[in-house]
Amino acid sequence: MNQHYFSEAPAGDFTPREIQVELAGATRSVLTAGGVFSPEHLDQGTATLLAALPDLTELDIVRAPADEAPVDGSAGAILDVGCGWGPIALAAALDHRDREVWAIDVNERSRELTRRNAERLGLTNVRVAAPEDVPADLAFAEIRSNPPIRVGKEVLHGILEQWLPRLIPGGAAYLVVAKHLGADSLQKWIATSFDDLEVDRAARKKGFHVLRAVRD
């Protein structure tokens, strides 16, 4: 591969192609292209996260402070950090049509594919944006992400330092990370870097760990 999926403007022709994937309990036809993450299929890490989320989110009730309107798992915006061609955001929007789902990526090709896929699936609750275009005052009930581990620790930590504080009180982040790519060390870093987050390993499968970080 002569370019990185986390490039802002991947080189080469943008030639979308159709693949079939399982999202939100059904087979869906979506578009992918070269220059984005996992263009040939739904990668194992994302599949692991999507399989784990129904059980995890059913148990993790989001609670707002007493002086605010209560928020439960059926309400509040969801953020997909590093959306690629959109599987996490699309699945969230299919499962929660009453919730706003934000899909962000530095890769302009990823954003275009996610927009097209949302349109193909008839989803009107997906908001696709570059990270810098997300409103500064917008907070999230959930963050769901297969984060770009290969950007390196310093960049990855910067991404998480930007978005984890945007969780509402009681909100939760679900991050899938391969064990051999540093799932254990990332869990420890989150635990020591954010005093208001409780972090644990919520699920695991085939070498992938789903880390859960819940804001107090």
Side-chain angles (χ1 to χ4, degrees):
M1 191 173 179
N2 58 9
Q3 59 183 319
H4 295 294
Y5 62 83
F6 43 83
S7 299
E8 291 185 15
D13 293 338
F14 178 39
T15 308
R17 59 183 177 274
E18 193 173 286
I19 64 171
Q20 306 295 312
V21 295
E22 185 82 9
L23 294 176
T27 300
R28 319 280 179 174
S29 174
V30 297
L31 297 176
T32 71
V36 304
F37 178 64
S38 192
E40 303 294 340
H41 53 79
L42 184 66
D43 67 285
Q44 184 60 52
T46 297
T48 297
L49 176 63
L50 294 180
L53 280 170
D55 290 337
L56 298 181
T57 54
E58 183 177 344
L59 294 173
D60 294 343
I61 303 300
V62 180
R63 293 187 174 88
D67 59 346
E68 297 182 12
V71 178
D72 63 24
S74 66
I78 299 171
L79 173 66
D80 175 6
V81 178
C83 62
W85 51 262
I88 295 173
L90 298 172
L94 286 163
D95 281 334
H96 306 285
R97 291 179 181 267
D98 59 331
R99 300 174 67 175
E100 191 171 68
V101 178
W102 283 77
I104 64 171
D105 204 300
V106 298
N107 185 324
E108 61 185 17
R109 190 171 294 183
S110 292
R111 298 195 300 270
E112 178 61 22
L113 288 167
T114 300
R115 286 191 192 96
R116 294 192 190 188
N117 286 330
E119 291 175 1
R120 287 168 69 91
L121 297 177
L123 297 169
T124 60
N125 55 331
V126 177
R127 309 286 178 262
V128 183
E132 63 271 19
D133 293 332
V134 177
D137 60 349
L138 182 61
F140 299 93
E142 290 180 39
I143 295 173
R144 303 177 176 187
S145 179
N146 183 349
I149 297 296
R150 296 185 186 278
V151 296
K153 281 188 179 182
E154 183 176 352
V155 175
L156 175 64
H157 291 174
I159 292 170
L160 296 179
E161 287 169 342
Q162 179 179 3
W163 297 108
L164 290 180
R166 303 280 288 268
L167 285 169
I168 65 172
Y174 307 94
L175 312 173
V176 64
V177 184
K179 179 175 176 58
H180 76 279
L181 291 178
D184 292 340
S185 63
L186 184 61
Q187 180 180 346
K188 292 176 183 176
W189 177 81
I190 294 173
T192 57
S193 299
F194 299 90
D195 292 338
D196 60 347
L197 293 179
E198 282 190 34
V199 59
D200 68 345
R201 188 179 308 137
R204 69 178 78 184
K205 184 178 181 182
K206 295 183 178 179
F208 288 91
H209 293 182
V210 177
L211 306 182
R212 170 176 50 193
V214 180
R215 186 178 174 197
D216 294 338

